[in-house]
């Protein structure tokens, strides 16, 4: 049964139950009790049939839920002529299932297809011309043209002199990688430099990205089940209900008393109050930029004890930022940035564009470069304000200046040095790195206060880079050089010790997100694969949204449990009264309605949840300012 069909079925059942109840009441008021009974029964039967099918399916999977109580009460009420009571129960049940499916459908509406990242076609060299062909037509040995910005559709090797590739979504390596002729290219990598030719080594179905897709599917099948909150009380409540109804009938000989017990016992505080509280929690979480895909993930999010974090784009910003500027002449730091950014306007290299972005954020007005000559992947030479400027790698700049390669600036692992030459002399170095997100230490402390006792880093990046980035954060473990399947293995291992949450943003994180108890994707810039595999998507690139998300989940679940305890307590009291003959089936249904109203009003308190960790989030009117590199990024040397 597809989700769309399931949603439409729930709407239809709710409509039929409501129509049957209302039309029966109208007929009863105009003096047609027989027709009223038929109308009530007509509204109940479709709901009861659908419920029985669902019960059989659940039992086949080894699951016992409270739906059995609802089915017993409707069946008994119809059997003994209490059609009005049956109609009320049918409306309550169909309303609860509609609310739950509505929550899940609403949360998933914005999710994209898993394969949307990879193109459907590729540009192939054939007989001296270029043809656009479907991926399925590509065979090993074919020669493809990968334009700037394109995603490599299949695995292959570089056939041009070189290629500059962004592999961060696959490997976690934050900086673009320069590949020489003959080196391997993984499908899913983005061309960050000039166009190059790719010699195909594997068909699309056998390539790296397709393998990751299969990993996602396998991980989702192995995912730990997340039982509904309502079902955890099902067996005990079912036993109490059947015992009271049987005892009432056995000792009095009156089957109507058993019907009344079953009607009062219909677990509407569970069927209605729990979805209402959780849907309200979903709405509040979305208000703070946390999209949770349904009530089950919300419940699970409230019980997380272990957190596994990806590095690139999650713990770090995922984009190169300036760490420091080293002067080697008379130019000031701002002058060095001015000349480098002005010339880098002519390049589409991600590091060049990062330098331009920093200069613009600082309010520096950049002139138009002249006489520009770019060596792809190496650097750019040109004229700025009449002065000859060259910017790029240290070796490239040294060669352009006609001097020996200068002493390398000492940098930490994971950093990149951009050199600048002006008028034939070395002017300085700009040190860049994928920096840790601001406030990360405070975020981790907040997560521990919310009950997350174990926090780990899992990255495909090098260990030296991972340890340098996370130094001083107090992580419980750092796992580096991981492939996608190794990340899945780590999640499965940690899952043995309690509920695990995995946070990531790249294609390589998707299998681990699917395997975790709760997968969280950085959705604003993350890959479609990770967003699809995740249970929770952070709609903005701020990891601190985890704090209000978890707190809202915990408080929503607490409100749901309160509603359940109060509602079940009142229902048990009503069942006892019905067993002693103080309530008829219709009176029991009306009493149950009053209990429903009370617990639902209590459940709606979840709409007013204000997380205690939200001040810093709501204090900023937009996210743009939060993304600007801070002016304190530059340090004197």
């Amino acid at each position: 049964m597809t989700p769309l069909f399931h949603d439409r079925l729930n709407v239809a059942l709710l409509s039929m139950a409501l129509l049957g109840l209302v039309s029966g009441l109208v007929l009863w008021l105009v003096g047609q009790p027989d027709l009223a009974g038929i109308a009530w029964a007509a509204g109940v039967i479709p709901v009861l049939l659908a419920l029985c099918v669902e019960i059989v399916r659940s039992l086949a999977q080894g699951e016992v839920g409270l739906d059995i109580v609802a089915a017993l009460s409707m069946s008994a009420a119809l059997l003994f002529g209490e059609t009005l009571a049956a109609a009320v129960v049918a409306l309550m049940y169909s309303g609860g299932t509609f609310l739950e499916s509505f929550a899940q459908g609403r949360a998933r509406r914005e999710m994209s297809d898993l394969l949307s990242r990879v193109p459907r076609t590729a540009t192939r060299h054939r007989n001296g011309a270029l043809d656009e062909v479907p991926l399925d037509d590509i065979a090993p040995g074919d020669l493809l043209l990968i334009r700037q910005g394109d995603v490599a559709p299949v695995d292959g090797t570089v056939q041009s002199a070189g290629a500059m590739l962004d592999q961060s979504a696959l490997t976690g390596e934050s900086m673009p990688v320069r590949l020489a002729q003959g080196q391997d290219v993984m499908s899913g990598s983005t061309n960050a430099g000039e166009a190059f030719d790719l010699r195909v080594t594997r068909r699309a179905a056998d390539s790296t990205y397709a393998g990751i897709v299969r990993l996602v599917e396998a991980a989702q099948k192995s995912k730990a089940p997340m039982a509904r909150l309502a079902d955890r009380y099902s067996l005990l409540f079912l036993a109490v209900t059947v015992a009271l109804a049987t005892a009432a009938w056995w000792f009095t000989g009156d089957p109507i008393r058993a019907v009344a017990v079953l009607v009062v016992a219909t677990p509407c505080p569970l069927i209605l109050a729990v979805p209402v509280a959780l849907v309200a929690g979903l709405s509040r979480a979305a208000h703070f930029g946390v999209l949770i895909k349904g009530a089950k993930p919300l419940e699970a999010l409230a019980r997380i004890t272990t957190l596994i974090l990806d590095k690139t784009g999650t713990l770090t910003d995922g984009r190169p930022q300036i760490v420091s500027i080293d002067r080697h002449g008379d130019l000031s730091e701002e002058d060095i940035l001015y000349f480098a950014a002005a010339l880098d306007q002519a390049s589409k290299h991600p590091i060049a564009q990062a330098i331009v972005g920093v200069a613009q954020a600082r309010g520096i007005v950049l002139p138009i470069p002249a006489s520009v000559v770019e060596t792809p992947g190496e650097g750019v030479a040109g004229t700025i304000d009449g002065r000859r400027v060259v910017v790029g790698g240290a070796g490239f700049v040294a060669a352009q200046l006609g001097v020996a390669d200068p002493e390398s600036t000492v940098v930490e692992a994971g950093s990149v040095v951009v050199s600048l030459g002006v008028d034939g002399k070395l002017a300085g170095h700009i040190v860049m790195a994928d920096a840790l997100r601001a406030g990360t230490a405070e975020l981790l402390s907040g997560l521990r206060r919310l009950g997350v006792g174990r926090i780990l880093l899992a990255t495909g990046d090098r260990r030296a880079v991972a340890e340098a980035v996370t130094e001083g954060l107090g992580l419980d473990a750092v796992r580096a050089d991981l492939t996608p399947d190794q990340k899945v293995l780590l999640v499965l291992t940690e899952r043995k010790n309690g509920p695990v949450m995995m946070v990531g943003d790249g294609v390589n994180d998707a299998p681990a997100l699917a395997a975790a108890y709760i997968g969280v994707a950085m959705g604003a810039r993350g890959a479609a694969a990770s967003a699809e595999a995740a249970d929770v998507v952070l709609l903005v690139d701020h990891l601190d949204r985890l704090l209000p998300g978890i707190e809202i989940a915990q408080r929503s679940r607490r409100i749901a449990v309160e509603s359940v305890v109060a509602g079940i307590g009142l229902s048990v009291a009503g069942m006892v009264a019905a067993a002693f003959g103080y309530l008829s089936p219709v009176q029991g249904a009306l009493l149950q309605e009053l209990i429903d109203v009370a617990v639902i009003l209590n459940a709606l308190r979840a709409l007013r949840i204000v997380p205690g960790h939200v001040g810093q989030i709501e204090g900023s009117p937009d996210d743009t300012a939060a993304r600007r590199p801070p002016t304190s990024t530059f340090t004197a040397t």
Side-chain angles (χ1 to χ4, degrees):
M1 185 183 297
T2 65
L4 178 60
F5 177 78
H6 191 269
D7 292 344
R8 289 179 176 175
L9 177 62
N10 287 332
V11 171
L13 293 175
L14 176 60
S15 301
M16 286 186 283
L18 181 60
L19 179 63
L21 179 61
V22 172
S23 59
L25 289 173
V26 171
L27 290 170
W28 184 75
L29 289 174
V30 297
Q32 299 291 331
D34 293 338
L35 292 177
I38 294 174
W40 288 327
V44 172
I45 290 173
V47 177
L48 181 58
L49 290 175
L51 177 57
C52 290
V53 171
E54 188 64 31
I55 291 173
V56 170
R57 183 181 291 115
S58 298
L59 291 175
Q61 297 174 353
E63 300 174 359
V64 179
L66 286 167
D67 296 343
I68 296 175
V69 180
L72 285 175
S73 63
M74 281 187 274
S75 301
L78 288 178
L79 181 63
F80 293 103
E82 298 290 340
T83 51
L84 175 56
V88 173
V89 173
L91 180 62
M92 290 186 292
Y93 175 79
S94 58
T97 54
F98 169 77
L99 279 173
E100 193 165 12
S101 64
F102 172 78
Q104 294 172 349
R106 176 180 179 275
R108 292 182 182 272
R109 193 175 302 145
E110 298 182 14
M111 292 301 101
S112 56
D113 187 81
L114 176 61
L115 294 175
S116 63
R117 177 178 170 83
V118 170
R120 304 297 183 188
T121 61
T123 304
R124 182 173 62 184
H125 291 275
R126 180 62 60 91
N127 299 326
L130 294 174
D131 293 329
E132 201 74 16
V133 296
L135 286 189
D136 291 341
D137 292 346
I138 298 174
D142 285 348
L143 188 64
L144 306 181
L145 175 65
I146 310 298
R147 300 182 180 91
Q148 187 175 58
D150 283 353
V151 174
V154 294
D155 291 347
T157 58
V158 178
Q159 290 299 293
S160 302
M164 181 65 66
L165 293 173
D166 178 0
Q167 300 181 136
S168 58
L170 294 169
T171 65
E173 177 66 50
S174 55
M175 297 296 180
V177 177
R178 178 75 177 175
L179 298 182
Q181 185 174 8
Q183 286 191 284
D184 293 332
V185 175
M186 292 185 291
S187 59
S189 303
T190 301
N191 183 10
E194 300 298 317
F196 70 93
D197 290 334
L198 176 75
R199 182 70 68 184
V200 178
T201 56
R202 292 191 183 93
R203 302 185 66 89
D206 302 322
S207 292
T208 300
Y209 192 86
I212 291 178
V213 172
R214 289 191 290 270
L215 272 176
V216 171
E217 294 171 347
Q220 286 177 329
K221 292 178 181 177
S222 70
K223 194 178 188 75
M226 295 183 291
R228 289 187 304 168
L229 175 65
D231 291 340
R232 297 186 196 118
Y233 301 88
S234 58
L235 288 176
L236 177 61
F237 190 77
L238 177 61
V240 171
T241 299
V242 172
L244 276 174
T246 303
W249 191 355
W250 178 269
F251 288 108
T252 66
D254 184 3
I256 301 301
R257 289 199 183 186
V259 174
V261 170
L262 291 173
V263 169
V264 177
T266 301
C268 296
L270 295 173
I271 293 174
L272 288 177
V274 170
V276 166
L278 299 183
V279 168
L282 295 177
S283 177
R284 288 303 288 166
H287 176 74
F288 297 106
V290 183
L291 180 65
I292 303 175
K293 299 182 185 178
K296 287 183 181 180
L298 183 77
E299 287 186 51
L301 186 60
R303 301 164 55 205
I304 292 302
T305 58
T306 300
L307 171 63
I308 300 176
L309 290 165
D310 174 48
K311 183 183 74 68
T312 305
T314 303
L315 202 60
T316 65
D317 187 63
R319 293 170 288 196
Q321 297 181 7
I322 295 177
V323 175
S324 64
I325 296 180
D326 299 341
R327 299 167 54 203
H328 285 264
D330 298 331
L331 293 181
S332 66
E333 291 184 5
E334 187 160 322
D335 288 337
I336 292 173
L337 178 61
Y338 169 83
F339 283 112
L343 187 55
D344 272 338
Q345 292 177 102
S347 174
K348 291 186 177 180
H349 193 286
I351 293 179
Q353 290 301 303
I355 292 175
V356 173
V358 172
Q360 292 174 338
R362 287 170 60 87
I364 299 176
V365 179
L366 302 177
I368 299 175
S371 304
V372 176
V373 177
E374 180 174 8
T375 303
E378 299 290 343
V380 187
T383 302
I384 303 295
D385 295 339
R387 304 180 71 174
R388 188 64 181 168
V389 178
V390 58
V391 62
F396 170 80
V397 172
Q400 292 288 314
L401 297 178
V403 298
D405 195 347
E407 293 184 8
S408 300
T409 301
V410 178
V411 295
E412 293 184 351
S415 298
V416 169
V417 176
V418 177
S419 297
L420 174 72
V422 179
D423 293 334
K425 296 181 180 180
L426 181 65
H429 298 296
I430 299 176
V431 181
M432 307 193 70
D434 183 15
L436 194 69
R437 290 178 184 267
T440 299
E442 292 78 6
L443 165 67
L444 300 184
S445 297
L447 290 170
R448 292 191 188 277
R449 287 194 295 271
L450 289 175
V452 181
R454 182 168 168 80
I455 302 178
L456 304 87
L457 179 75
T459 179
D461 209 343
R462 291 170 292 141
R463 172 163 293 278
V465 176
E467 291 179 347
V469 167
T470 59
E471 185 178 0
L473 290 181
L475 297 179
D476 295 290
V478 174
R479 302 285 187 265
D481 299 306
L482 298 181
T483 60
D485 54 339
Q486 288 173 332
K487 286 189 176 183
V488 172
L489 181 60
L490 175 62
V491 169
L492 296 177
T493 301
E494 292 293 331
R495 219 171 67 182
K496 297 176 182 178
N497 302 319
V500 175
M501 177 166 64
M502 169 74 190
V503 185
D505 78 323
V507 176
N508 63 326
D509 300 317
L513 294 176
Y517 198 72
I518 282 289
V520 181
M522 304 289 288
R525 288 189 292 129
S530 59
E532 179 66 24
D535 304 288
V536 179
V537 177
L538 305 184
L539 298 179
V540 293
D541 281 314
H542 289 294
L543 192 58
D544 58 6
R545 300 292 167 126
L546 281 177
L547 294 175
I550 293 176
E551 186 173 348
I552 288 171
Q554 291 176 344
R555 293 174 64 178
S556 297
R557 185 176 182 275
R558 189 179 307 124
I559 289 172
V561 171
E562 291 172 357
S563 300
V564 166
V565 172
I568 292 300
L570 293 173
S571 294
V572 170
M575 289 162 58
V576 173
F580 282 96
Y582 294 110
L583 292 174
S584 68
V586 173
Q587 290 173 331
L590 294 176
L591 174 63
Q592 189 62 62
E593 282 295 296
L594 293 176
I595 296 173
D596 292 344
V597 170
V599 296
I600 288 173
L601 288 176
N602 181 67
L604 286 173
R605 291 191 298 119
L607 285 172
R608 300 195 300 272
I609 294 175
V610 178
H613 299 87
V614 79
Q616 63 194 60
I617 295 175
E618 292 195 326
S620 177
D622 60 68
D623 297 319
T624 304
R627 293 194 187 103
R628 295 193 189 107
T631 55
S632 61
T633 300
F634 304 97
T635 57
T637 57

